[in-house]
Structure formats: structure tokens, C-alpha cells
Amino acid sequence: MLGGIHLAFKDGFVRRDTADLVNVFSIPPVPKPNNIAPAPSETGTNKGRNRKNKKVELSSPTQKEDSPATSQQSQSTKSPPTESTKSKRQEKKERKKAEWDAKCRAREDEARSLAGKEGKLKEFTEGLQRKEEEKAKRISGATQKNRTEVQQLRFAQSSLPEKKANVQTKPEPETMAGDAGSAPDAEVDFLISKKKRQRERELIGSGPAPSAKRKRKLGEPDSFPLLDNSPLIPSPKPPNPSPNPVASSPSLPQSNLPHKAQLRAQSHALLKQRELLPIWEHQHDLRQALREKNILVMLGETGSGKSTQIGQFLVSEPWVKKQRINDPRTGREVLVGGCIAITQPRRVAAVNLARRVAQEMGVHLGDDVGYAVRFDNKSSIEKTRIKFLTDGMLLQELLHDPLLKRYSAVVVDEAHERTIGTDLAMGFLRGLVYGARGGEKGLKLIVMSATIEVERMARFFEREKDMLEETVVDREGDRFMANGVDEVLEKSSSASEEEFTGCHIDSDEDKEAADGSEREVSRSTVARFQVPGRQFPIELYHAPEPVADYVDAALRTVFQIHYGEPMPGDILVFLTGQDEIEALQKLIKEYAQGMDKNVPKMCVLPLYAALPQVLQQKVFQHAPERNMRKVILATNIAETSVTVSGVRYVVDCGKVKTKRYRPRIGLESLLVTPVSKSSAMQRAGRAGREAAGKCFRLFTEENFLTLADTTVPEILRCDVSSAILTLKSRGQDDVLGFDYIDAPSRESLSKGLEQLFALGALDKTGKINAMGRKMAQLPLSPGLARVLVAAAEPKMDCLSEAIDIIAALSVENIFMTPQSEDKREEMKEAQQEFERREGDHLMLLLVVRGYDAQQSHKKLWAEKHFVNDRAMRSLIEARKQLRHYCQRLSSIPLPPPPQTITPDHGVRILKCFLKGFFHNTARLVPDGSYRTIMGSQPVGIHPSSALFGKKLEAIMYNEFLYTTKPFARLVSAIQMDWLVDASPMYLGGAEA
DNA sequence: GAGCACTGC
């Protein structure tokens, strides 16, 4: 039996090309061997997967009965509906209970023991890393790099069906003959040695590097493991040794501040690594380009080094020093410049890049190089010349300093991610570069992206002149009102297409003109630049026919890889959520038990944001045994935020959960949708970080071709009321006329405006008023910001209570979510002391107060009450910040929080919440169900609420979500007559 | 009687 499986797998993998893989994808389901150890109680059911997807078929019919995974299914279909069914069901239920209890216990134990081992593990992994560093030093970095380039050339030709066809190829005068095109295998070694010699010459310093031709490869944001691992590993060093020379840097002594000489020495040591980065040889051209033009758009691929080097290349340019300009608004002279800002979409990225660049420059973090993220600012107004910050932070600075006076240049990194933050920042920056900070002494703007969308961005920054004319003409008619988003989208996409043909930035087929050092010499206001990345080749495989159940398909593919592909090489599987991950983890573990003894073992690891930190870290550690393959089951978190080393095989289900907003009903929902092409490429790219890799797509090639090129920008998918408030508070009152890269639909914008008006943030003409300005300063959604402003009013007088509750609402769920029913019962009991008949909001307040009351045993207390300690700690941070902001907004000092909360007090708190959430209300109708007060839609109280099952006159809720049916989450009881003064403007004539 | 991807101020 075992041999049979073995052969079955082997057959599929003797030869490795797409055609064979087609067979592999369609081979019969993995048979489950008979001699599997009898399943322990926990394999008795197949919770989740079987229930959810009936199509799953994991074993052939004859083997079904042997399979613990399916025994339950066959049982239930076979047994007649006798009186024993009931007891059987009971039995099943109990078994299920036991199983989940066991699982929970196991997980808790695991977490605990891991936490204990952490110290030892760190020691161990650091030792390993030191060894690896030494090894890396021995291997010539240059050889490594050149080999990569050659492989890239070959890869790029063979894969990537998503090439743009209409690309002009430009012959290039100064290139090496054999380098450009398809190098036959025999030539490869020759090329490597040739390039190696060249590189060695370069390293000894004999003249500038001849411009090497490179090929565009899988787009992927530039991120080295040091950077990407960090969200999960707080230590400055990743525990995993990495062959990437950038990642394995000498580490600083942790104990005290390093001496200046030490810093210099380290900086010197790092210089060698920096010189190997693809961007290094282009620094002169970059500087030159920015002397000539104020805007530069750069396509920088994975590992090009753009994020770490750009600041250092520019910091000593003459235009960085402070200079006087005329502020057109006041007519007065102001002093501007002196610092380069580099924005990132994620906090960890900003912090780690700053740390790294400080090391490279040999300076203390916070002096010449610093960062600013929420809750953490390590930069100095006088000293800092390179500052990394999140895009949200840049927008925050815009609020108090509309000219961004501190900065000589702003670099927008990872622009292709198109978060609302980056999009708004780019709109504002463009306005500055062509307005108040334009001209010869103007602000420099550098936009860096990893996808071909850069060309669209270049167009966006270029079309200022046209736009101005257009806006003047269209002002009355309102361009967006009239045409809506479709026309805008259409316009931009056709623009980018024509641009591809004329632009020197090559796309995939344009091998001839791939030299980034060549700049477009034209009258364009935007300089364009391309820097190749460092990425190993990846073989792509597609499923031959559509896959009905991708969890099942992933299961088979994982085993196929495991049997057919050599070690080492870990497998990274992309799925959409925790549910799927847990289901697949269970299945793989079951089947792995039946593997032949001489087949390497597997170590299955989940990875998603909600997973406890200690368990996340396992992904970065070595497999517990030698000759063991790690199989990482991850959500989208592994696509951008986290880089796992050691991965050579990627399995991509082709789906992702995305938020969608339907403005008409004002409802946000989370849906499983197909990924975009660039997302799929990004995922595939994860297989080629350290060596050549393979990517198995669980969808057909035809399917791939129908995917959208890029992910829909966030601003087109979400509620934009918050974005509108940001715009208006920063001087852009005409939100319909703001120059978005992609404008939200007219419907979405007007819904947002309407909401803000109802909240009292805008006056009748749509201008922001005092209330709106206050709200805009708070790091909260407009609704929650409104609550805070209301709570600060003297007659309400419950500011510190409101802050506590809002802080609880703005961090991750502060309650644990136990899996087993027993645990849930236990949790209910433990939390009884917090329960209030008013509902969830006051319950949150009591939890916060309970946590506060603990002096030294906070963690224990949290554990006992099923409260998430990590969430509580970030809650405390957020509260500190909110208090700070509130104190700034009103001169009145925060009153000390009262010890008890009287019913009257509770009413006042809830009335404040109603000011921000009057639109999220429902009332009881005669049939005993709830219907929303606006729109009269049915809605039920979510089972997670303390008010679940209760019948109340009316309810208010913070969240509306649609899963199996419409649910209200975070619910409190209200009275109908409170609604009248919650938003008189909005409810004015309506019955309330 | 349900179950939520990922960020950010």
C-alpha cells in the first residue's frame, strides 16, 4: 500500500515540466494508507472542512471506511434514522467537544512551552546565523549575484504569460554581446565567469561599472528578511540565518550605545554589501535625474535595495540643505528643507528600515536617521536628515504643516500597494510640487513601486497641466459627478497602455532596453527610472482544469511537492483565512502519518495575523528535526508583510478575502475574491527569494489571464468618509475635484459626504466646520471621533469613560475566542462580573477598569478572565494617545475616572455613542425581531454579544456584518427617544 | 447560536 502511494507520486514527478504537472494536478485523490496509526480521538471528525465543503473527497471509496477523516461522513449517510441516531449525535457532539478541548489545551501548552524556550531558541538561532554569515562571506557575493541575473534572463523568457505585447524594444549601444537575450545553457557558465570577472574588477575599484543589462522580473516590493520578519520577531535580528547578504549583517552589541568608532567600522563593513545591490551603480544617474527634475518615478524590483539606499544617495545633494522660499498663502518667506522623508505603508517597515540605514551610515538611530510611526517617534527636528515614516504619519504632519516645510524631498515607497494613505499622500504631494512648493527650489518627489503600474503613476504626476485646464473647464459641471469612476478608470488605463510603447521603462518583453541608468530625455516633468531586482527564477505551473475545492487540491499538491521535489525547500501555501488553514493543517497532518518511513517528515505551520505571536514565530525557526520539510499555511500576510526564508515552493489558491463597500446600503463586507495578476506574481515570487523555485497555481492559465492586472485600490473598495475628512481638514475642500489617482465613485463620495454631514462635521455648504476639524485630528473613524467630541461636552462629562471604550474598540478583539464549548462556558462565567444590562459598551469599560485595577498581576488576571493581554497592552497605548489628543483639543484637564458607573452615568455614555452611531440602530418589531431604524432592514444581535437573545426596545451597534445573515455586533440597549437629539440634522423630519 | 484577510493615524 505504502509503496503504491510512493509510486503514484513518483510517477508524476520523474520529469518536471508543465505537461507532467498537468497530470499531477489531475491524479486521483491521495489514497490513505491502511496502516495509518489508529486515529486518536481528535481525528474523529473533520470539523469545518467537511461541513463547509461537501465536495471534498480525500480518499477513494474503497478506502473511505478506513479513513478517520471520512468515517463520520459515511456513518451518517449509512446509518438508518433509528432512535439510536439521537444518542449517536450526542456521542458525536461530545467527541467533538473533547477533540476541540484537546486542541485548545495542546495549543495553549504549545504556546506556553514555546514562550519558555524562547530564550534558548534565540541563542541557538543566533549561533546558527553567525555561522551562516561566515559562510556567506566566504562565498563571493558577486558570483551569487551574477548567477541570479543570468537565471533571471532565462526565467523571464520562459514564464510570465502576462507580458505586454506592445512594447518597443530599444537597442542599447553599450552592452555585452552575450548578455542580452536567451543564453543557451552552455553559455551560462561562461557568462557567469565573465560577469564575475567584471564584478571583481568593479570591486577592486577599477573604474565605474559598465552598465549591465537586466531583465524585468516578477514584481515584488523590495523587502529583505530583516525587514519583513520583524513584525513577528521584535528582536532586531531575524532568528533565521539567511543567505541574503543584505539580511545577514553584523549585529550591534545590544548592551550599551556603540562607540563612534564602532559605528564607523560597522558602516564600513556594510558598505561592501551595499555595493552589491543592483541600485548601487545607478546612484549617479539618480542624483543627476533629480537635479534636473523634481519628480522621479522609479520601478524598483525586489531586492534592488531602493528602500535603504535612496535616502543615502540623495542626502548630501545640494538641494537638501535648508532654503528660503515664499509661502504663496501668507506671502512671507519661510525656511524649508533639510530632511528627506521616506514613507512606508507599514510601521514595522519604517522602523526596521530606519534601523538598517542608521547602521549603514554609522550613526545613532534617532540622530541623522530616524523614524516616526504611531506611538513611536525616534527622530529629531534639528538632526534628522533621513526620516522613515508611515504614510498615515505623513498625512498627520500635513495637518499641522501643509507645506511640509521640514522636507526637501518625499519618497513614497511601495506605492503600488495603493493604500488609502499612499493614494491621498500622493495627491497632496502632487499639489505641492506643482503649487506652493514647486519651481526651482521645489520639493522633490520620488515615487517607488514594484509593479508596472509605475507608468500610470508617472502619467498621474505628469498630467498636471492638462488637469488644471480640465478642472477649470469642468469645475461647474463637476467632472466626477458627471462622469463617475468608470470614465476616469478608462482614461487612465488607455493612457498607460500608450505610454508603455513610448516609454523607456521596459516591460517584460523589452529585454533590449532594460538598462535603468538610461533616463528619458524629454520635456516631461517626470524622470523615469528602472532598477532591476534580485530574484531567482521561478517555474510556474497551472492547474489543467478548474479546481472545485482548492483546499483539497492544495492538500494533494503539497504531497506531490513533498514526494517529487528535492530537499531542502519549504512549501508556502496561500489560503484565504484561518478556517481553511486549520482545516488543511489537520488534513496534512493526518495524511503525513501514513508516509513511508524513508520519506522526509513534514512540519505543518499556520500563519495568520490573529495567531498568537509565539506560534507565528515558529515559521521562522528551523524545522524541529533534521531532514524535515516545513509546510507553511498562510493568509495574505505572507504576501507583503512577512517573508519566510527557506521557501522554494509556493502553492497559490488564487483567492483572497477582500473588503467591499456597498455605498447604497452603507455596508462593508468581507468576500472571497480572485487575486489580481500582480498579486499572483507576488505570491509566486515568494518561492524565489533564496534559490530557484516553483509555483503551483491551483487555477488554470486561462483563468489567470482573466484576472485583473492589479488589485483594486483600497479607496475604491472602502467607506471613504474618513478619507474625505482627511482631505477637507488638510485644505482640500473640493473633494470631488481632488486629483485622485483613482477617484472613488460619485455614489461612494456622496455617501461619505452625507455621513459626515449627518455627524455634524460639515456645514450645509459641505465645508468642514469646527466639529469636523476636531474630529479630523483624532486617529479614529469619523463615527468614533464624534463620540469622543460628544463625551467631552460639559453636560455629558464622560470623556475618560468614552476613551476607555473607544480604545477597546479600536484594537483587536480584547476577548479570547475559545474553540471548545466548555471553554466558552467557562469564559461566560469568568466574565460574568463585567456584564451590564446596558450591553457590550459598558462591559468593555468594566473590563478596562478591571485590568487597570490590577497592580502587578495584569497578565494573570487577563488569562483568568479570558481577556487578550496583548490587545489590552495596545489598548493602553491607544488610550494614552487619545487622552493626549483630547487634552490638546480642550483646555479642560481630564477628570479622574469615577470608581463606579451609575445607571445615569451609563445613559450619558451611551447617548454619546449614539451621536456617532445613530445610523447603526434598530428597533424591536412585533414579530420579535429587530429592524434597522433607517431602511427597516432585518438585523439580529450577534451571538458574541452580551445582549444576544434579549428583547429590547431598541439597540445601537458599532458593527454591522453580513455572514449567514445580517448581524449587529458590539450592541447596547437604547431608548427610542434618545435618537431625537442624537442627530437632529439627519433625523429632523423623520419619525424617531 | 456565529466565526473576521491585511494595514494605518
Side-chain angles (χ1 to χ4, degrees), chain A residues 84 164 182 292 434 442 611 684 688 690 802 819 838 876 897 911 955 978:
Chain A
S84 71
K164 283 267 175 191
S182 56
E292 289 164 15
Y434 285 102
L611 193 73
E690 291 156 20
Q819 302 282 357
E838 292 96 332
I876 303 293
K911 279 186 171 174
I955 53 167
W978 296 356

Side-chain angles (χ1 to χ4, degrees), chain A residues 218-221 416 639-640 677-686:
Chain A
L218 276 178
E220 188 169 346
H416 60 276
E639 194 179 304
T640 48
K677 279 186 192 133
S678 66
S679 198
M681 288 167 73
Q682 172 90 348
R683 289 177 174 191
R686 292 290 169 184

